[in-house]
Amino acid sequence: MTGFFHETAFYGADDEFLALVVPFLEDGLRAGQPTVVACAEENTALLRGALGDTSVMYLPGADQYARPSEAISTYRDLFHDHTRGGATQMRAVGDVPHPGVGVRWDWWARYEAAANQVYAEFPVWGLCPYDTRTTPADVLADVVRTHPNIASPSGARVVNPGFLEGLPHSAQVPDVLEQGCPLVELVDPTAGGVRAAVSAAIGTTRLSEDDKHDVVYAASEIVTNGLTYGVAPIRFRLWADEGRVVVAVTDRGPGPSDPLAGLVPTTATESAGLGLWILHRTCDYVSMGRDAEGFTVRASVGGHT
């Protein structure tokens, strides 16, 4: 097997999870392949109990999947290290977060689509199991669209006829703070004007100084991106409570079609590629997509949930 083999699987019981993952890992261990697990605590405990003392590398799932851009960076570093060390095949199992475990899905849907490109250079067999007891139906639909291969607890492995290249189809979900009136609303503002308005609006929040800096940077970067690549009018809005801030920028353009946008650094453009990536590394959540109003980028800082 060469390149990245991206596979999903669905299970509805702990025994089914073990039937999927344990043979997958044991086959890798017998072949001397580096094997990595980044699962939720419950699934990690199941695997440790079933596998015993082995050379499986366990990564804390909550840390590995804190943000998609960080997950990509960590995995790529790990895969680079193993290939430089002579590995010709690796295996990885990961519990990708979703709303069923209390995590918003949009950027993780883009991560699953982007994985097909960002890991393509590595000889890795990646298995992404999803628990049908907790995973919402719209998430499962995105999972099918973003994985070229599907496995079953019986051991069967097939090419996925439902796989589609490009971005998944999940709809954006406005933040709960957006139910109120925005504290700031500007049309076709300058980046400098946005920075000044945002700084004034969040001055009394309980955000740390670092978080306040991240909000100002995010607002400025998203507006700059909209002014440079979007279609006017560019509408900027900000909502806040004592501990969290949400900014949203909407334009009438189509937005990027590349699932990698914001998830990996790029120098293909002078500003947008790197700026969006920094945004994804500093904000607690970033959502990008089209709705009836146009193409919207949303970012939230604070709360850390």
Side-chain angles (χ1 to χ4, degrees):
M1 185 183 299
T2 59
F4 182 54
F5 188 85
H6 195 198
E7 184 174 62
T8 190
F10 306 107
Y11 64 94
D14 291 352
D15 287 347
E16 291 183 356
F17 171 78
L18 292 173
L20 280 163
V21 178
V22 170
F24 175 81
L25 295 174
E26 287 180 333
D27 287 349
L29 292 171
R30 280 193 292 269
Q33 299 167 359
T35 57
V36 180
V37 169
C39 287
E41 290 183 6
E42 298 83 357
N43 282 345
T44 297
L46 288 172
L47 292 173
R48 287 186 182 275
L51 292 167
D53 186 16
T54 67
S55 59
V56 170
M57 178 186 300
Y58 291 97
L59 303 177
D63 293 340
Q64 175 61 20
Y65 293 108
R67 292 180 176 89
S69 57
E70 293 176 5
I72 289 170
S73 179
T74 300
Y75 273 137
R76 283 184 57 84
D77 286 347
L78 183 64
F79 298 157
H80 269 301
D81 288 345
H82 281 300
T83 52
R84 282 196 295 263
T88 58
Q89 184 66 62
M90 297 168 276
R91 298 192 182 211
V93 178
D95 282 339
V96 178
H98 56 76
V101 294
V103 177
R104 285 177 284 187
W105 173 242
D106 173 84
W107 63 355
W108 289 111
R110 288 188 284 120
Y111 168 85
E112 287 284 44
N116 295 302
Q117 298 181 52
V118 296
Y119 305 137
E121 67 188 274
F122 301 107
V124 175
W125 188 345
L127 174 61
C128 306
Y130 281 84
D131 189 341
T132 58
R133 296 169 295 184
T134 60
T135 311
D138 60 332
V139 172
L140 293 175
D142 275 343
V143 171
V144 171
R145 294 185 186 103
T146 53
H147 289 76
N149 306 282
I150 298 181
S152 69
S154 67
R157 295 191 139 82
V158 299
V159 174
N160 174 20
F163 170 67
L164 296 172
E165 296 280 0
L167 289 167
H169 298 285
S170 56
Q172 275 195 313
V173 179
D175 192 280
V176 65
L177 287 182
E178 295 180 51
Q179 295 175 5
C181 293
L183 297 179
V184 178
E185 186 164 6
L186 304 168
V187 177
D188 290 334
T190 65
V194 165
R195 288 193 294 269
V198 171
S199 296
I202 67 174
T204 58
T205 66
R206 295 179 180 175
L207 294 179
S208 68
E209 290 305 312
D210 284 345
D211 280 350
K212 289 179 180 178
H213 176 271
D214 289 342
V215 173
V216 173
Y217 176 86
S220 176
E221 186 57 42
I222 300 172
V223 166
T224 297
N225 191 62
L227 291 170
T228 305
Y229 301 102
V231 176
I234 311 300
R235 183 185 179 200
F236 172 84
R237 290 161 292 169
L238 177 147
W239 298 262
D241 60 17
E242 290 185 345
R244 198 162 63 89
V245 176
V246 174
V247 298
V249 178
T250 301
D251 71 78
R252 288 294 178 178
S257 60
D258 187 351
L260 271 62
L263 298 183
V264 294
T266 177
T267 56
T269 61
E270 292 183 358
S271 172
L274 185 59
L276 282 177
W277 178 70
I278 295 174
L279 196 74
H280 280 72
R281 297 298 294 268
T282 56
C283 294
D284 293 295
Y285 180 68
V286 180
S287 173
M288 298 166 55
R290 283 196 62 82
D291 55 24
E293 295 184 344
F295 177 74
T296 299
V297 180
R298 289 178 170 90
S300 66
V301 175
H304 306 290
T305 57

